[in-house]
Every structure is written in structure tokens, then in C-alpha cells.
Amino acid sequence: MSDSQEFILELVRKYHREKELQREFVPGKTLVMPSGATLDEDDRVAMVEAALNMRIAVGSSAIELERQLGRALHRRKVHLTNSGSSANLLALTALTQPEMGDARLKPGDEVVTVAAGFPTTVNPIIQNGMTPVFVDVELGTYNTTVERIADAIGPRTRAIMIAHALGNPFPAAEVAALAKEHGLFFVEDNCDAVGSLYNGRMCGTFGDFSTVSFYPAHHLTMGEGGCVTTDRPRLARLIESLRDWGRDCWCEPGENDTCGKRYCQQFGGLPYGYDHKYTFSRVGFNLKTTDVQAALGLSQLQRLPEFDAARRRNWWRLREGLDGIPGLMMPVPQPGSDPSWFGYILTVEENAGFDRNEIVEFLESRRIGTRMLFAGNLTRQPAYQGQNYRVSGSLENSDAIMERTFWIGVFPGLTDEMLDYMIDSLWEFVRSR
């Protein structure tokens, strides 16, 4: 590192400390966010250092982050993407490729998913010409059950694609066993649950693929970004190709002729020896990330245990502080799980004497940020009117979530003072009713 670079980075650290000193929590004035990135001076320095080195595309930081994520997430293969949504798209699209043989997913096939969730768990199903089969969830855990999934399986069902609800694991081991029993692919959307455990095993290790988001609201952030993970090298190769324009070459950025056959192969209708770097074997995308983002990801990853511990601690502080509050259903960890929570979810009871809009408006008036459980019942959203889907059983709980559920924050950036302010505000509202 040059003297000038070292000087600049020290100034960046000084700037960060000065900014942090300006922060003060004032109840009713300071916004208590429901989610957000928790960034320190090392994060700021990592991004500036990458920018100073002009690492503006994929490079060494991205390669190193994929390697470290593999260790942290307990998966053999990790490929970074530009978002968690893109990770979901890549995971399902990979299962449609000819290399999957007779097992490949095809237009018209069915994929079981939940109605109460985020659109980008479902959109890849529709975007690949397949049919979502929506099942309901349980109030309290906000996850579906193995029984509901089993009942939804029909003669055209070929896959299961489900997200862990706000960090609360669904019964992933049982779902994986059900998928194996019926010969189905299993895509585990782990975007909200990095660090969560089910039966002592890390979430994101049960599916053929799992996906992660690095959006600022999530457990780790790169600003934007995500990744696809798998333990199956053949599937990983499909992800890499589809992410990188559909190219056949697997050279890392700046590398050439890794295979030793760059100019001596025959592909399709190309002339013999056509440059392997410009040979495209799949109809792919460009969904890569950048090295500046990856530099931030590397810095953030060092703090994952700290972040997970804070999320658990903050959730339990809210749970204990709200114990016995009337009119609000408390969240319940999935049996056998140890969640690294994404948020603290509440459902207004039917006979509460107030509705969700009233309590949310009260909290927002006190500068306490709230969020819905994403799309509520996806089948009621405008985007899915006229889309081809099937519903298995009733979606009454998904409707209840759409009408009566919201969540507040537990992310590591919240202080005890903020959490206690949220607790006191909720009690104040309920007592006034």
C-alpha cells in the first residue's frame, strides 16, 4: 500500500468516526428503522480501498468472497449474483437446462410454493413458463407445513421452492425428504435466514440449490447482491454459465485457457477452434456483481456471528417485553429451530378492538418503521391477476396475514433504547384501546 493510499484510508476511518459521533437517539424524532445495513469503519474502508484500486468489475474480492461464503454457509459451491432475486431466477432456470436430462423442468410443470411471501420466490416459476402451486402457511410461525406441501403434489409437480419466513425456518429436513420421495427438485430460498438453524443444521444446506440476498435489509449486505449455493458441482457449473451470459468458458476474470483447449474444440455450427471465451452454450444472462460490492461483502462476513447473535438477542428482548400484551399474536419459532430473525412479526387478533392500520399508523407517527409480511397473499396482488397458477387447499391464513399482520425490526443497528421504545409504544397503544 502506498503512503498516499494509507493516508486516504486513515482519513476515511476518521470520517466514519466523526459521522458516528453525530448519531443520537431521540424518541419520537429519530427513525427506528425496521431493517437496514449495519456498517462500520472497516466496511467503509473496504469499499474505498477497492475503488482506489479501480477494481470496478468482478475480480479478486469476488473470488475470495465466494470461497469464504462456501465455508461460512457450509456449501461446496457459491456463485455471487447481482441480487437475491437474480439468485432465485438462476437457481430455477438451471433446472430447465438440457444437461438435466429427463429430469429437467419444462414449461407447464408445477412448482409448489407459498402464497404469503415475497414475489421473487415465485416470479422465476412464471418467468420459466411453469405453474406455481400455492399453499397456505401457519399463523405464528408463518411457514407452511409438510402436510400442505404433500397435499399440493400432483402429476405435473416437479419442484418445491419456498423461503424461510422472516428468518424462521420452515421444516426444511422434512421438505427435503418429501422432495426426494417424490423425485422433486428443492430450491431453498434462504435470503432472510442466513445463520438460522433447523435441527442443529444451518438453513440453506437442505436444497439442491439455496439462495441468499445481500440487500441492505438482510443479514449481510453488499448494497445489492446475492448468491446461489449448492453441493453439486454439475449444478454449480450451470449457474456459473447462466450468470455469465451463457458462455461455455469457465475462466475467472483476467484468466485465459484454463481448460488448455481454448482454440482446439468443436461446438455447434462454429468453425473448429473457435475461441472458447466466446462460445455460448446456453441462453443466459449477465447477473454478475462487482468487486467493490464484494469487498464490502468480505468485510461484512467477518461479523456474521456478531450479527446473528444481535438479531437473536433483539428478538428475545421484544418477545419478553411484549409478553402478555392483549390483541396481538406473538411469533413462534418453528419447532426444532434456532432462528436468526429477520424481523419481529405480529398479527392483530380478530377481536382485538383495533385493526392493523390503526396500530401501524400509531407506530409510524412515533417514528417506528413497520413493514407488511411482504406481498401478503400473492394471488391477490395485481401482478398475478390473469397468471396461470393453482391453489391447493384454503389460503385463509395468507388472507389473514394480508389483512392483519405486520413486523418491526430486530436488525443489529437497533439499540436497547430503541427496542424498549418500541415495546413501550406498543403497550401504550394497546392500553389506550
Side-chain angles (χ1 to χ4, degrees), residues 31-35 363-364 367-371 407-409 422:
L31 176 61
V32 181
M33 296 172 60
S35 62
L363 292 172
E364 295 283 350
R367 301 284 286 163
I368 297 171
T370 64
R371 294 289 185 269
W407 58 273
I408 55 179
M422 288 193 281

Side-chain angles (χ1 to χ4, degrees), residues 267-280:
F267 293 95
L270 294 171
Y272 176 80
Y274 196 83
D275 190 348
H276 194 216
K277 287 181 73 72
Y278 293 95
T279 298
F280 300 91

Side-chain angles (χ1 to χ4, degrees), residues 298-357:
L298 277 169
S299 179
Q300 284 268 295
L301 185 57
Q302 312 312 309
R303 300 173 68 196
L304 180 58
E306 169 195 337
F307 290 159
D308 283 332
R311 287 177 177 274
R312 290 177 167 95
R313 182 175 62 250
N314 291 348
W315 189 92
W316 279 108
R317 191 178 186 95
L318 289 175
R319 181 66 184 84
E320 291 166 1
L322 295 172
D323 188 44
I325 192 169
L328 292 174
M329 179 186 295
M330 293 294 107
V332 179
Q334 185 78 28
S337 76
D338 179 13
S340 177
W341 294 93
F342 188 79
Y344 193 89
I345 189 167
L346 295 160
T347 295
V348 178
E349 301 278 7
E350 290 186 273
N351 60 351
F354 54 87
D355 62 29
R356 181 183 62 194
N357 285 351

Side-chain angles (χ1 to χ4, degrees), residues 70-335:
R71 291 205 305 265
L73 302 177
H74 299 179
R75 293 290 256 186
R76 289 180 63 188
K77 296 289 184 178
V78 174
H79 285 94
L80 291 174
T81 65
N82 62 350
S83 71
S85 305
S86 294
N88 281 340
L89 176 61
L90 285 169
L92 201 68
T93 303
L95 299 175
T96 70
Q97 298 304 295
E99 289 88 344
M100 301 306 299
D102 293 339
R104 69 186 290 199
L105 301 183
K106 307 179 197 61
D109 286 344
E110 293 183 344
V111 181
V112 179
T113 190
V114 300
F118 199 78
T120 54
T121 308
V122 175
N123 290 351
I125 303 169
I126 296 170
Q127 289 159 343
N128 276 285
M130 290 176 273
T131 302
V133 180
F134 289 111
V135 296
D136 209 359
V137 299
E138 296 283 289
L139 296 179
T141 66
Y142 303 92
N143 284 310
T144 193
T145 62
V146 177
E147 293 75 21
R148 284 189 174 94
I149 298 171
D151 289 344
I153 295 172
R156 299 207 67 176
T157 306
R158 303 294 305 284
I160 300 167
M161 187 169 183
I162 299 177
H164 300 287
L166 285 188
N168 195 13
F170 61 80
E174 292 84 348
V175 172
L178 181 69
K180 184 176 181 180
E181 176 187 348
H182 289 272
L184 309 178
F185 291 114
F186 175 26
V187 179
E188 185 184 358
D189 184 332
N190 199 44
C191 289
D192 294 347
V194 173
S196 293
L197 304 176
Y198 183 69
N199 290 348
R201 179 174 163 183
M202 187 170 285
C203 291
T205 63
F206 294 91
D208 297 293
F209 286 120
S210 69
T211 58
V212 177
S213 172
F214 300 126
Y215 188 71
H218 289 88
H219 288 60
L220 300 170
T221 187
M222 290 165 45
E224 295 280 359
C227 69
V228 185
T229 83
T230 184
D231 283 333
R232 299 168 61 182
R234 185 170 68 128
L235 294 183
R237 176 70 192 109
L238 293 175
I239 294 294
E240 182 180 35
S241 176
L242 288 166
R243 181 196 64 180
D244 298 2
W245 309 284
R247 69 177 187 163
D248 201 78
C249 176
W250 58 85
C251 289
E252 297 288 2
E255 292 183 353
N256 292 304
D257 204 20
T258 303
C259 65
K261 299 183 290 184
R262 181 176 177 184
Y263 297 111
C264 56
Q265 298 182 82
Q266 178 71 59
F267 293 95
L270 294 171
Y272 176 80
Y274 196 83
D275 190 348
H276 194 216
K277 287 181 73 72
Y278 293 95
T279 298
F280 300 91
S281 53
R282 296 166 192 88
V283 179
F285 313 93
N286 178 7
L287 301 177
K288 300 188 301 299
T289 187
T290 70
D291 233 40
V292 175
Q293 291 170 288
L296 175 58
L298 277 169
S299 179
Q300 284 268 295
L301 185 57
Q302 312 312 309
R303 300 173 68 196
L304 180 58
E306 169 195 337
F307 290 159
D308 283 332
R311 287 177 177 274
R312 290 177 167 95
R313 182 175 62 250
N314 291 348
W315 189 92
W316 279 108
R317 191 178 186 95
L318 289 175
R319 181 66 184 84
E320 291 166 1
L322 295 172
D323 188 44
I325 192 169
L328 292 174
M329 179 186 295
M330 293 294 107
V332 179
Q334 185 78 28

